[in-house]
Amino acid sequence: MTKIKLNDLMAIRCIAEEKKINAAAKRLGNSPANLSRLLTNIESKMGLKIFHRTTRYIYLTEFGESLLLHIKHFLQSHDEILNFIDSYKNQASGRITLAAPSGAILFLTRYIIPSIALEYPEISISFVTYQPQSNDHATKTEMLPNWDVLFSLNPPIDESLVARQVVNFSIGLFASPEYMKHHPFEHPRELSAHPCILLHALGGAQFNTWQYRNGDEIQNVVVTGKYICDNALPAIELAKNGLGILYAPQYMIKDELDNGVLIPCMSSQSNVEMPNYLIYRKRERQPRKIHVFIDAVIKYLDAHATLFR
């Protein structure tokens, strides 16, 4: 049997409720002749009569009465599905999965998420630690299907995703006061002679090239070190204990700088800027909770822009 269209089912229900072709056609915005032909075609496709017709009235056959019960149940379920889709798409509630490097998650949970929690208390967040493996800016990031939003140093592999550059982090060199007292240096070129604490996110065993600004130029220096970390937290602790020089975003060690347990190794004019992207799927395919979360992250990042410099 040929498949029955949704509009066919709606026409059957309307005719059964109005009991007249003219009244049903008016309600459906159709002509009586077209609606009559449609009903004839539906019955022909089914191979069964749905209605008895007289010159004045139209009423259901025994088959039609049973069919109408199923049609009403189906159309009610169809409406409920549409209402659920609209409600889900338009409500600012539910769970969002946010993936980011550990240092970025630390910053977001400290400065950004508390404000979002106050503004949108019905939104819950699942944090996923994502550790990039290279500081090569030509490298692109993979966004997993179960992530809603990705905070990344690099743009995505999938070009259909939105990659919005939201902030530039100032990256510099830092060490403990005790380390600098016993191992001073005057220029970043001297870093090759110092123990450095390597981060996979900003350097690592195979990507141990650090950058610094020399006037208008960006210079590279190859460094080495005994300690290689896959996230910022142990690297910060190692630097605090005088075990080497740390290359990191300034916002990540704000508390340590304020408390004096870490100090800059050189002027902030030598720091380099590293772009960060907020990556997400196109908005027309996303529920409202994703829209408001992205907008709120951008708004509060702007409000804390001074932390990045």
Side-chain angles (χ1 to χ4, degrees), residues 257-287:
L257 293 173
D258 291 343
N259 295 332
V261 294
L262 289 178
I263 59 174
C265 298
M266 56 186 185
S267 166
S268 61
Q269 293 179 348
S270 299
N271 291 359
V272 295
E273 298 290 314
M274 181 172 289
N276 277 251
Y277 299 89
L278 204 59
I279 299 172
Y280 49 91
R281 296 171 186 87
K282 291 183 178 179
R283 290 193 174 216
E284 60 266 24
R285 303 176 188 173
Q286 298 299 313

Side-chain angles (χ1 to χ4, degrees), residues 192-213:
S192 57
H194 287 259
C196 295
I197 300 166
L198 305 180
L199 271 172
H200 282 297
L202 301 171
Q206 296 178 348
F207 302 97
N208 55 345
T209 300
W210 290 359
Q211 296 182 325
Y212 63 94
R213 181 174 294 279

Side-chain angles (χ1 to χ4, degrees), residues 9 37 44 54 57 71 97 124 162 165 194 196 248 283 299:
L9 301 179
R37 280 195 296 271
S44 177
T54 69
Y57 295 103
I71 289 174
T97 300
S124 60
V162 178
Q165 187 173 331
H194 287 259
C196 295
R283 290 193 174 216
K299 178 175 71 173

Side-chain angles (χ1 to χ4, degrees), residues 1-2 4 8-9 12 15 21 35-53 58-65 67:
M1 186 185 75
T2 304
I4 305 300
D8 296 345
L9 301 179
I12 293 169
I15 294 169
I21 288 288
L35 184 57
S36 183
R37 280 195 296 271
L38 175 64
L39 179 56
T40 299
N41 289 336
I42 293 171
E43 290 179 328
S44 177
K45 286 189 289 186
M46 288 185 178
L48 292 164
K49 293 287 289 184
I50 303 172
F51 292 96
H52 293 298
R53 306 193 201 193
I58 183 168
Y59 56 95
L60 290 163
T61 64
E62 180 182 0
F63 165 70
E65 288 178 352
L67 176 63

Side-chain angles (χ1 to χ4, degrees), residues 97-102 105 126-131 144 146-147 150:
T97 300
L98 170 64
S102 58
I105 287 181
S126 175
F127 297 97
V128 176
T129 301
Y130 161 75
Q131 298 299 352
L144 299 187
N146 58 323
W147 296 350
L150 170 62

Side-chain angles (χ1 to χ4, degrees), residues 11 19 66 105 135 141 160-161 165 186 188 235 251-252 281 302:
K19 297 182 175 62
S66 298
I105 287 181
N135 66 343
T141 299
S160 70
L161 297 172
Q165 187 173 331
E186 296 181 357
Y251 79 85
M252 197 181 295
R281 296 171 186 87
D302 289 342

Side-chain angles (χ1 to χ4, degrees), residues 170-183:
S170 177
I171 311 291
L173 301 171
F174 307 94
S176 70
E178 190 68 14
Y179 180 90
M180 291 302 295
K181 178 181 177 181
H182 295 288
H183 309 281

